[in-house]
């Protein structure tokens, strides 16, 4: 029996590794599909872990409730055709598998010494791919970008029109790339703040993506984290000097990039993307009472069915799963934030990741996105390793 449990555990770890590889490194056309067959190992391992360790019960129940509601709504709206939408709905079982497996692996003592090198190696690999695309030597960067984000017209504009460049990196679009590097930014900010060079590199990529939402999220999590470290300033004059210098640098950066500059000129509020989101929200709220409450079920082709693309998780959840879905989605966010005590290192870290999820969900997909969901749950799962490192140091070195 013990050997069977061990075999299932290794299968779950392999499933998570392949999912992470697909989400972070491999272009869509080269993703490994073997993870679909390994999911059963991850799910069975999740059930075994939850049965033995009740600490994950609330968290897993929150994911399962959302998954269960999505099944109910889709069956009510589409009948037996709901089976074709099952892979999409299974995301909300995949996330607790990746999260709990990552947390359990991170508790292994043998990982504690080598994990920072693994995280740094992953970060530098992704950074290298992004810089290769940025430099675009003899058009090679643009060609590489096409592998990850096969949008010929958009990429042509980004690379050939002055001031429009946005770095999509290994993700499908620049906003998703910004979410990825914001996760790294929060990780280093929370657990390894002295690794300032990695923080600056992550910040640099976020700026190059010109993602307005994630840039504001980055400022928010930086402010929240800075409040904890105010005592390092010996007097108010030193603090004011630091804030003034940071403000000048920030203004200089923002006004050097057209998309970021639009946040302060007011153009962002008049942009077609913003107005489309307002229209989508208005249309969602104007549906009949029952549909507003329970939703429409999975919407495979928003442009065909609704006449517009949906690029907001909040609006997408409302349209597909109704107000009940929104409440269950928010219950999931609450479950994440009560898993660790807020005063603990892990609790504060998960709170910052939650700020990212909430902010990004206004203009992007998070848990409804196949790659971004993996990224978010992976970084949530790194909390035990990160907290172990920071708690093992003398207190004066942490501050």
């Amino acid at each position: 029996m013990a050997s069977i449990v061990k075999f299932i555990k290794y299968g779950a770890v392999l499933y998570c590794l392949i999912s992470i590889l697909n989400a972070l490194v491999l272009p869509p056309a080269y993703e490994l599909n073997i993870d679909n067959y390994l999911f059963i190992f991850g799910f069975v391992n999740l059930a075994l872990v939850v049965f033995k360790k009740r600490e994950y019960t609330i968290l897993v129940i929150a994911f399962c409730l959302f998954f269960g509601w999505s099944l109910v709504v889709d069956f009510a709206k589409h009948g037996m055709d709901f089976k074709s939408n099952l892979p999409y709905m299974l995301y909300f079982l995949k996330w607790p598998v990746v999260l709990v497996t990552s947390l359990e692996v991170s508790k292994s003592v043998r990982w504690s010494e080598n994990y920072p090198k693994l995280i740094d190696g992953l970060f530098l690999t992704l950074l290298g791919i992004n810089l290769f695309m940025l430099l675009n030597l003899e058009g090679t960067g643009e060609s590489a970008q096409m592998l990850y984000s096969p949008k010929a017209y958009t990429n042509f504009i980004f690379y050939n029109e002055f001031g429009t460049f946005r770095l999509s990196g290994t993700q499908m679009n620049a906003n998703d790339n910004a979410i990825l590097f914001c996760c790294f930014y929060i990780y280093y900010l929370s657990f390894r703040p002295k690794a300032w060079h990695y923080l600056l590199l992550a910040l640099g990529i976020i700026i190059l993506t010109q993602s307005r939402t994630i840039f504001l999220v980055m400022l928010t999590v930086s402010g929240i984290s800075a409040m904890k470290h105010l005592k390092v300033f010996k007097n108010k004059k030193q603090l004011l000097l630091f804030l003034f210098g940071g403000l000048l640098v920030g203004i200089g950066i923002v006004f050097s990039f057209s998309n970021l500059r639009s946040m302060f000129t007011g153009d962002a509020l008049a942009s077609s993307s913003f107005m489309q989101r307002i229209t989508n929200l208005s249309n969602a709220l104007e549906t009949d009472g029952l549909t507003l409450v329970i939703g429409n079920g999975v919407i495979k082709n928003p442009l065909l069915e609704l006449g517009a693309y949906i690029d907001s998780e909040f609006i997408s959840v409302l349209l597909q799963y109704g107000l009940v879905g929104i409440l269950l989605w928010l219950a999931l966010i609450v479950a994440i934030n009560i898993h660790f005590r807020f005063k603990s290192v892990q609790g504060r870290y998960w709170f910052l990741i939650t700020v990212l999820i909430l902010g990004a969900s206004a203009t992007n997909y998070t848990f409804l996105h196949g790659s971004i969901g993996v990224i978010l749950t992976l970084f949530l799962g790194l909390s035990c390793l990160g907290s172990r490192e920071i708690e093992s140091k003398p207190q004066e070195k942490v501050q």
Side-chain angles (χ1 to χ4, degrees):
M1 184 63 183
S3 59
I4 295 176
V5 172
K6 196 172 185 179
F7 179 72
I8 292 173
K9 177 182 177 181
Y10 285 140
V13 172
L14 180 59
Y15 169 73
C16 290
L17 288 175
I18 293 174
S19 297
I20 292 165
L21 187 65
N22 285 339
L24 295 182
V25 181
L26 296 180
Y30 296 93
E31 288 184 357
L32 303 174
N33 294 323
I34 191 175
D35 62 321
N36 295 325
Y37 303 100
L38 293 172
F39 173 74
I40 186 63
F41 289 98
F43 185 71
V44 172
N45 182 68
L46 174 67
L48 292 173
V49 171
V50 173
F51 181 75
K52 290 190 296 184
K53 301 181 179 181
R54 301 302 172 88
E55 62 186 280
Y56 300 117
T57 302
I58 295 178
L59 197 58
V60 172
I61 286 176
F63 280 105
C64 289
L65 282 174
F66 192 97
F67 170 70
W69 176 249
S70 69
L71 284 180
V72 170
V73 173
D74 213 58
F75 178 75
K77 292 292 183 176
H78 302 131
M80 291 307 295
D81 289 341
F82 89 98
K83 291 184 291 185
S84 63
N85 297 327
L86 194 57
Y88 176 80
M89 294 183 285
L90 278 171
Y91 281 158
F92 280 83
L93 293 184
K94 180 176 183 175
W95 306 151
V97 168
V98 175
L99 174 54
V100 173
T101 304
S102 300
L103 284 170
E104 286 298 292
V105 170
S106 69
K107 292 177 181 179
S108 174
V109 176
R110 61 183 176 179
W111 285 94
S112 59
E113 293 182 1
N114 296 319
Y115 102 89
K117 296 177 183 178
L118 293 174
I119 301 302
D120 293 346
L122 178 60
F123 175 74
L124 292 174
T125 298
L126 293 170
L127 178 71
I129 296 173
N130 276 263
L131 291 179
F132 176 77
M133 294 174 179
L134 172 66
L135 295 175
N136 194 29
L137 299 175
E138 298 183 356
T140 54
E142 186 176 353
S143 298
Q145 186 67 88
M146 278 293 294
L147 282 175
Y148 289 95
S149 181
K151 303 172 183 177
Y153 178 72
T154 303
N155 288 329
F156 179 82
I157 292 175
F158 285 171
Y159 276 93
N160 293 281
E161 290 193 11
F162 180 76
T164 63
F165 181 78
R166 299 187 66 187
L167 186 58
S168 298
T170 60
Q171 301 302 307
M172 285 295 291
N173 58 64
N175 290 333
D176 292 344
N177 198 33
I179 294 173
L180 167 60
F181 278 92
C182 194
C183 284
F184 277 110
Y185 183 83
I186 293 172
Y187 162 79
Y188 285 115
L189 190 67
S190 300
F191 300 131
R192 298 165 62 188
K194 289 193 173 183
W196 56 268
H197 47 296
Y198 289 136
L199 280 169
L200 289 179
L201 289 170
L203 173 59
I205 297 296
I206 293 172
I207 291 171
L208 289 170
T209 66
Q210 292 205 60
S211 174
R212 293 174 292 214
T213 302
I214 307 306
F215 183 78
L216 292 175
V217 169
M218 184 272 301
L219 292 179
T220 301
V221 299
S222 298
I224 293 172
S225 182
M227 291 176 65
K228 179 178 177 292
H229 298 283
L230 286 178
K231 56 186 175 183
V232 302
F233 296 99
K234 297 178 180 179
N235 52 59
K236 291 183 179 180
K237 186 180 294 186
Q238 187 183 48
L239 175 60
L240 289 173
L241 183 63
F242 176 81
L243 292 175
F244 182 71
L247 181 63
L248 288 179
V249 172
I251 291 174
I253 291 172
V254 167
F255 280 85
S256 298
F257 294 87
S258 58
N259 206 53
L260 295 180
R261 186 169 61 245
S262 67
M263 293 186 296
F264 300 92
T265 60
D267 292 340
L269 297 178
S271 66
S272 59
S273 59
F274 180 80
M275 297 307 298
Q276 185 61 59
R277 291 186 190 105
I278 295 297
T279 301
N280 291 339
L281 178 60
S282 176
N283 291 338
L285 294 174
E286 289 176 358
T287 56
D288 66 85
L290 181 60
T291 302
L292 179 61
V293 173
I294 70 171
N296 297 282
V298 173
I299 299 173
K300 289 184 177 180
N301 192 332
L303 187 60
L304 180 64
E305 298 179 45
L306 303 174
Y309 289 109
I310 308 298
D311 59 356
S312 164
E313 176 119 340
F314 294 136
I315 298 174
S316 184
V317 169
L318 180 61
L319 283 167
Q320 295 184 102
Y321 310 118
L323 292 174
V324 175
I326 290 289
L327 291 175
L328 291 174
W329 193 93
L330 292 174
L332 174 56
I333 296 299
V334 172
I336 289 173
N337 279 277
I338 65 174
H339 184 74
F340 292 113
R341 291 183 299 106
F342 180 74
K343 292 184 178 180
S344 68
V345 178
Q346 299 105 312
R348 289 192 296 269
Y349 171 69
W350 277 34
F351 176 74
L352 294 182
I353 295 290
T354 302
V355 171
L356 171 60
I357 294 170
L358 290 172
S361 294
T363 57
N364 303 276
Y365 285 171
T366 51
F367 288 130
L368 294 180
H369 192 295
S371 295
I372 297 303
V374 171
I375 292 168
L376 293 170
T377 48
L378 167 65
F379 274 88
L380 287 171
L382 293 176
S383 60
C384 290
L385 284 172
S387 62
R388 181 182 299 162
E389 182 190 18
I390 201 169
E391 288 168 353
S392 66
K393 296 179 180 180
Q395 187 63 26
E396 64 270 12
K397 291 185 178 181
V398 177
Q399 297 177 354

